[in-house]
Amino acid sequence: MRRTPTVLHLDMDAFFASVEQASKPSLRGKAVIVGGLGPRGVVATCSYEARVFGVHSAMPMAQARRLAPNAAYLVPRFEFYRSISEQVMALLGALSPLVEPLSLDEAFVDLEAGGTAWDSESARLAGIKLRADIRAVTGLTGSVGLAASKMLAKIASEQAKPDGLVLIEPGTERALLAPLPVRTLPGVGPATGDQLRRAGITTVEEMAEAGEDELVRLLGKAHGHALYAMALARDDRPVVAERETKSVSVEDTYDVDIHDRVRVGLEVQRLADRCVRRLREAGLSGRTIVLKVRRYDFSTLTRSETLRGPTDDPAVVREAAARLLESVDTTGGVRLLGVGVSGLADFTQEDLFAQAAGVLADEHPEERPPDGERAEAEEHAERRWPAGHDVRHAGFGHGWVQGSGLGRVTVRFETPQSEGAGRVRTFRTEDPELEPADPLPLVVGELGDLGVRGVG
């Protein structure tokens, strides 16, 4: 492992929600929740103001509404987020040819490979300049971690959140890691964390003290070796320039063959959940669900099912994996199980893309039609007027949809450069003077050429 803190990890702060707040002055400083607004929708991202209520990413939207009923609920604008991500990635590319994007809002950078930094001070200055450039170009904030390895740089950026910079000086790594929970280390998910906890290991220091042999005994050779090295702050993984990910998968090998069909099913469900977590961490979704089963005689079977569209919904992946398991004979015992997703796309969950339930205005409850008719009316309106999306009115100019239903759409008229909250008006959904519009750039002026112009 290198000895200079020249690996940079950037993580944009509450990215989707921050874009919405920057785009909509009336939402700045307010609780904002972005995600699928339909019955099966989940939270994609929420603002820090929403997190104080206990809302977090991947939470069912119905639960989020119970925790934060007065928050602004918006349908994602993925093309807009992607265009802003491209601006950020271009700034990273100016620092080094070795940029490893993890998702739209997160990446590693090898500063030394770009000649941008060679010691602690030059790395810190590069991080400071990057954060300033991101704010100038996008109006958004990002947190930066700097360290001698990818693992430590990511830990540093977590400590820097929100809107900060943390540099881990060489020689301080072990002391920094010692008190942290084992889940801090990459590769320690819920199942591994529980296994370590049952062995009395809850911190990284306790993991290091347990020793390599004990970790191998508990977790297997490959996993035990890797985690012991990380507990000692050793991480030799290089920053790898962008490459196409073909699939995301997880698998477990069992010391004793599993014969109980019920337990096999439960293991498949657990693996499906782990696979979805990896998908979401990478900002991906996929269409093809793959089940891998290695039986008692070492014969390996794979089964797959291709869905109509990409998903990162854990329930959908669990159900597909369970269906695939039904076609596999496991009566002789199972040595290994795996669940994977392929046919990847760089957006998340069909529920988030669905132009799902807008926020209904309650000004005239007496005018509400029966449930069936109301659902049909809402479905029609939300397809055309998703909450949070941009519109333009011939008389009032640019605005965004606050909600729609009952044949009406409520619009707040403001732009990213507006002073204070804009005025609100309600129109018929078929008003000929109202039409969908492209997002406006978040930043204008000298850097305006780097701003987003006309994203559909």
Side-chain angles (χ1 to χ4, degrees):
M1 188 176 78
R2 73 182 81 196
R3 299 301 301 163
T4 54
T6 52
V7 175
L8 181 149
H9 181 257
L10 170 71
D11 196 353
M12 299 296 289
D13 298 322
F15 183 50
F16 296 173
S18 293
V19 169
E20 298 299 346
Q21 289 178 318
S23 183
K24 302 169 171 66
S26 59
L27 298 185
R28 293 170 191 170
K30 305 288 181 62
V32 174
I33 299 173
V34 180
L37 305 188
R40 297 177 60 235
V42 298
V43 176
T45 310
C46 60
S47 68
Y48 287 98
E49 294 86 354
R51 296 180 191 189
V52 301
F53 296 102
V55 181
H56 58 77
S57 297
M59 171 182 284
M61 192 61 77
Q63 183 181 355
R65 287 188 184 277
R66 288 193 296 270
L67 293 172
N70 297 318
Y73 289 85
L74 307 177
V75 175
R77 298 184 292 166
F78 282 106
E79 288 302 319
F80 192 41
Y81 306 151
R82 187 175 291 110
S83 66
I84 296 171
S85 172
E86 289 170 357
Q87 294 176 306
V88 173
M89 295 301 165
L91 292 173
L92 298 182
L95 294 175
S96 172
L98 288 184
V99 176
E100 183 177 343
L102 303 179
S103 61
L104 290 179
D105 60 341
E106 186 181 2
F108 288 110
V109 184
D110 187 330
L111 297 176
E112 191 172 18
T116 308
W118 48 91
D119 59 12
S120 296
E121 184 57 24
S122 58
R124 187 184 301 275
L125 290 174
I128 291 171
K129 183 177 186 301
L130 172 64
R131 292 180 61 241
D133 288 345
I134 289 172
R135 186 184 288 272
V137 170
T138 69
L140 305 176
T141 64
S143 296
V144 166
L146 292 154
S149 70
K150 291 166 70 172
M151 174 187 74
L152 291 166
K154 185 170 175 62
I155 290 172
S157 71
E158 282 297 316
Q159 294 185 341
K161 281 190 165 295
D163 191 20
L165 182 151
V166 168
L167 183 147
I168 300 177
E169 290 284 0
T172 68
E173 296 95 344
R174 291 285 301 278
L176 174 84
L177 286 176
L180 298 178
V182 294
R183 290 288 303 277
T184 304
L185 299 182
V188 182
T192 301
D194 288 344
Q195 197 169 355
L196 291 169
R197 179 181 51 77
R198 288 194 294 270
I201 300 171
T202 59
T203 67
V204 176
E205 182 177 30
E206 290 168 347
M207 183 183 286
E209 290 174 347
E212 187 170 17
D213 290 344
E214 176 65 5
L215 292 178
V216 168
R217 185 187 71 80
L218 288 170
L219 307 173
K221 187 174 181 180
H223 205 188
H225 281 313
L227 289 183
Y228 180 69
M230 289 185 176
L232 299 181
R234 299 173 188 161
D235 178 19
D236 295 324
R237 295 174 301 159
V239 176
V240 180
E242 184 172 6
R243 61 186 179 215
E244 184 180 1
T245 302
K246 301 293 185 183
S247 65
V248 172
S249 63
V250 296
E251 63 183 43
D252 275 347
T253 302
Y254 305 99
D255 294 333
V256 179
D257 291 355
I258 303 175
H259 292 84
D260 184 348
R261 182 74 176 188
V262 173
R263 188 188 163 196
V264 171
L266 291 174
E267 288 293 310
V268 167
Q269 301 294 288
R270 182 177 61 81
L271 290 166
D273 287 343
R274 280 174 54 195
C275 184
V276 167
R277 279 196 294 273
R278 289 194 180 181
L279 271 179
R280 288 180 168 175
E281 287 169 0
L284 297 170
S285 64
R287 296 183 63 224
T288 301
I289 314 302
V290 181
L291 175 70
K292 177 180 178 182
V293 180
R294 181 166 297 149
R295 298 188 292 188
Y296 69 101
D297 59 358
F298 287 90
S299 61
T300 301
L301 303 176
T302 58
R303 300 287 186 268
S304 65
E305 174 179 328
T306 298
L307 309 174
R308 288 182 299 172
T311 188
D312 73 344
D313 185 335
V316 172
V317 177
R318 283 196 300 265
E319 291 165 6
R323 285 194 298 272
L324 295 170
L325 180 62
E326 290 173 359
S327 66
V328 179
D329 180 8
T330 62
T331 52
V334 171
R335 299 181 59 86
L336 174 147
L337 290 169
V339 174
V341 177
S342 61
L344 302 181
D346 60 348
F347 50 81
T348 54
Q349 197 202 25
E350 64 269 32
D351 280 336
L352 302 185
F353 266 121
Q355 297 171 351
V359 180
L360 279 175
D362 288 327
E363 297 91 337
H364 306 287
E366 69 280 0
E367 297 180 15
R368 292 188 175 189
D371 285 351
E373 294 177 27
R374 185 166 74 245
E376 183 177 348
E378 289 173 12
E379 182 180 356
H380 176 75
E382 64 210 18
R383 276 201 302 267
R384 185 174 177 191
W385 308 114
H389 283 224
D390 298 83
V391 296
R392 174 168 293 280
H393 188 274
F396 296 104
H398 191 92
W400 57 277
V401 176
Q402 281 199 315
S404 62
L406 304 174
R408 297 188 299 274
V409 55
T410 299
V411 176
R412 185 178 291 275
F413 289 98
E414 59 186 2
T415 72
Q417 287 72 46
S418 296
E419 294 290 337
R423 56 189 172 178
V424 177
R425 297 286 186 274
T426 298
F427 307 92
R428 291 181 297 106
T429 55
E430 301 304 324
D431 190 318
E433 295 192 309
L434 187 68
E435 60 184 6
D438 291 334
L440 296 177
L442 300 181
V443 174
V444 296
E446 186 177 344
L447 293 171
D449 290 340
L450 295 173
V452 180
R453 299 181 187 280
V455 179

